[in-house]
């Protein structure tokens, strides 16, 4: 299992993708057409039913709403900082 904080950060990213979709005035059907991802699969992702999407799915969803994903590395709580 992944740490709770990591899971919450993941869910926040999915929430942000959904918010970007809504701000762009796009329906799930619009994103499905743009991304090539099944509308039902997108819905499962947004509602948390799908908790382990592929990286490709996330990248395609983000591109379909005019966004790109970016990552940063941070130290885990309680671990010594590395440089």
């Amino acid at each position: 299992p992944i740490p709770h904080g990591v899971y919450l950060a993941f869910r926040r990213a999915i929430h942000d993708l959904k918010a970007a979709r809504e701000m762009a005035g796009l329906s799930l059907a619009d994103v499905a057409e743009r991304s090539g991802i099944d509308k039902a699969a997108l819905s499962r992702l947004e509602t948390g039913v799908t908790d382990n999407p592929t990286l490709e799915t996330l990248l395609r969803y983000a591109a379909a709403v005019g966004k790109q994903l970016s990552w940063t590395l941070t130290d885990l709580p309680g671990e010594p900082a590395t440089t």
Side-chain angles (χ1 to χ4, degrees):
I2 63 173
H4 185 67
V6 173
Y7 176 76
L8 291 178
F10 166 74
R11 290 304 315 155
R12 179 66 187 177
I14 300 301
H15 175 270
D16 291 348
L17 282 172
K18 180 179 179 180
R21 173 180 68 77
E22 291 172 342
M23 287 293 295
L26 298 170
S27 67
L28 282 175
D30 296 329
V31 175
E33 184 176 318
R34 290 177 175 206
S35 67
I37 301 168
D38 182 67
K39 181 178 152 184
L42 291 169
S43 177
R44 289 190 302 270
L45 180 61
E46 286 187 355
T47 59
V49 174
T50 300
D51 61 358
N52 192 17
T54 65
L55 179 56
E56 180 180 355
T57 295
L58 296 174
L59 294 172
R60 288 167 52 190
Y61 186 127
V65 298
K67 302 293 182 183
Q68 71 179 28
L69 294 176
S70 63
W71 288 271
T72 60
L73 293 177
T74 58
D75 294 316
L76 290 172
E79 296 291 324
T82 58
T83 57

